[in-house]
Amino acid sequence: MMIRRSALLAAASLLAFSVAAQAQEDFQPALIFDMGGKFDKSFNEAAYNGAEKFKAETGIGYLEFEVTNESQRDQALERMARRADIVVVVGFAFGTSLETLSERYPDAKFTIIDASVDKPNVQSILFKEHEGSYLVGMAAALKSQTGKIGFVGGMDIPLIHNFEYGYEQGAKAANPDIKLTSNYVGTTPAAWSDSTRAKELAFSHYDSGADVVYAAAGAAGLGVLEASKDKDEFSIGVDSNQNHLYPGHVLTSMLKRVDVAVYEAFKAAQDNSWQPGMLNLGLKEDGVDYALDENNREVLTPEIVAKLDEAKAKIIAGEIEVQDYYSTQQ
C-alpha cells in the first residue's frame, strides 16, 4: 500500500513538473532594440541585460531583433507580434508604428520604453530622466574647477532635452554661477551611433574650458567618454553604469533602469500580472539614480556623495521639485 502511495505521489509530482515545464516552454517573450546596437554600453545594452537576467532566472529564451534602419520597425513589430506572448520595444521611435500595429493584434501584449501609447494592450514605461540628471548635474558643478561644464546630446529631441534640463537645474543648485554649454550630435536616428561626431563636440567643450561633460547620446556618447580620457578631464555616462570604461575620468553615470523595466515586463507577462497603462519611474521608484562604485570612488569624493544623497532624499520626499523639460513647452 505504501509503495503504491509513493508511486502515486511521485507520478503526481512528475506531472506537476511537466505542466510547469510545458508552461515555461509555451511562454515566448521578445525584445526589439533601437538604433545603435544591443551592445552600445548604454540604453540598448541595459535592455539586453534585463532580458538576460530573465533568461538566466527562468531558463526561458527570448526572441530579439536589432533595428539598423527605420524601414525595419514595422516589419520587426509585425513578426514579433505573431510569434511572442509579449513584445518589448526599446525607444520612442517605435511609438507611431505601435499605435497602428497594436490595433491589428489586439490579443498581443506590448511594452514600449520611452514613449506613451494609449492602447488597451500597450504598457508605456517612461523615466524621470530629469531627476537623475539633476544629481549628476550637481556632481558636475561640485567637481568642476573651472566653473564650466558641458552637455552632449544624441538626437535633438525633447526626450534628450529633458536630460539637459535636469542637468542644468542640478548644476545651478550646486553652483548658481556655473556656466553650461550644450550641443547635439544630430537630428536623425543616426546620431545615436556617431561616436566620432560626439567626440568632436566633447573636445569643443573641453577646449572652451569645461572640465566635466555629460553625454546623453546612446552609443555615440562613448566618444565623449573617450574624449575625457584624451583630455585628462571628466565625463558623465548615461543609462548603464559606464564608470568602468575609463576609470578616473568617468565622474559618474546617470542610471536609467531600462534593465529593470524589461525584466519586470517579461516577468509580469509570464505570471499573468502584466497590465497595460502608464508607468513613470523616477528616483522614488528606483527608475533612475547615479552610479557609485570602485571605479569612481576616488573622483566622486565623500563630500560630493553626501550632497548628492541629501538632494536625492529631498527629491524623493518632495522637498525638492525637479522640473521636467516638457512642462516648459506648454
Side-chain angles (χ1 to χ4, degrees), residues 131-329:
E131 290 186 353
S133 295
Y134 182 98
L135 296 181
V136 302
M138 285 189 66
L142 292 168
K143 189 67 178 180
S144 177
Q145 298 295 307
T146 64
K148 297 179 179 180
I149 59 174
F151 176 88
V152 174
M155 188 176 173
D156 190 352
I157 52 174
L159 172 66
I160 305 303
H161 284 284
N162 201 34
F163 284 82
E164 180 188 352
Y165 195 50
Y167 180 62
E168 180 180 12
Q169 290 174 75
K172 289 188 178 299
N175 177 6
D177 297 323
I178 199 76
K179 303 298 182 184
L180 169 64
T181 54
S182 63
N183 44 37
Y184 288 75
V185 176
T187 58
T188 70
W192 304 120
S193 304
D194 195 349
S195 60
T196 300
R197 177 59 178 160
K199 186 174 183 178
E200 292 171 354
L201 295 176
F203 277 152
S204 71
H205 289 298
Y206 294 129
D207 290 342
S208 298
D211 51 0
V212 186
V213 179
Y214 179 25
L222 299 178
V224 176
L225 306 191
E226 186 177 7
S228 69
K229 177 181 179 296
D230 291 349
K231 288 289 189 178
D232 196 23
E233 301 288 2
F234 293 108
S235 56
I236 295 174
V238 77
D239 295 334
S240 297
N241 184 351
Q242 299 178 322
N243 295 351
H244 66 283
L245 295 177
Y246 299 99
H249 294 284
V250 181
L251 180 63
T252 185
S253 298
M254 199 291 278
L255 302 177
K256 183 171 172 178
R257 303 310 302 270
V258 177
D259 56 335
V260 175
V262 172
Y263 171 83
E264 293 293 345
F266 279 5
K267 197 72 174 170
Q270 182 199 19
D271 64 22
N272 294 316
S273 63
W274 182 93
Q275 296 289 331
M278 176 74 70
L279 294 174
N280 199 353
L281 309 178
L283 287 171
K284 185 176 182 179
E285 297 80 17
D286 198 28
V288 296
D289 208 340
Y290 75 96
L292 178 64
D293 59 22
E294 68 278 5
N295 294 297
N296 71 332
R297 284 187 189 278
E298 290 189 8
V299 293
L300 200 67
T301 66
E303 293 77 15
I304 294 177
V305 169
K307 291 180 180 180
L308 299 188
D309 287 345
E310 180 184 3
K312 177 180 174 180
K314 288 183 176 180
I315 292 170
I316 291 172
E319 296 175 34
I320 293 177
E321 182 179 356
V322 186
Q323 190 176 20
D324 66 82
Y325 172 78
Y326 308 103
S327 65
T328 69
Q329 304 304 297

Side-chain angles (χ1 to χ4, degrees), residues 30-38 40 42-48 65-67 70 73-74 77 87-99 110-117 122-127 129 155 157 159-160 163 189 192 218 239 256-259 261-262 326:
L31 176 62
I32 306 178
F33 299 97
D34 204 356
M35 299 277 282
K38 70 178 177 181
D40 62 357
S42 185
F43 186 67
N44 283 320
E45 192 158 336
Y48 167 79
F65 185 80
E66 297 180 61
V67 172
E70 292 301 300
R73 293 190 191 278
D74 289 354
L77 266 171
V87 182
V88 177
V89 295
V90 183
F92 73 95
F94 285 99
T96 301
S97 297
L98 196 53
E99 287 273 357
F110 300 94
T111 292
I112 184 168
I113 295 172
D114 271 355
S116 175
V117 176
V122 177
Q123 179 188 68
S124 301
I125 300 179
L126 302 178
F127 291 85
E129 300 93 356
M155 188 176 173
I157 52 174
L159 172 66
I160 305 303
F163 284 82
W192 304 120
D239 295 334
K256 183 171 172 178
R257 303 310 302 270
V258 177
D259 56 335
V262 172
Y326 308 103

Side-chain angles (χ1 to χ4, degrees), residues 2-31:
M2 288 294 293
I3 294 174
R4 184 179 178 185
R5 180 181 297 175
S6 297
L8 288 171
L9 288 172
S13 297
L14 182 60
L15 178 62
F17 176 80
S18 298
V19 170
Q22 184 64 42
Q24 282 198 351
E25 289 176 6
D26 289 345
F27 178 70
Q28 180 62 77
L31 176 62

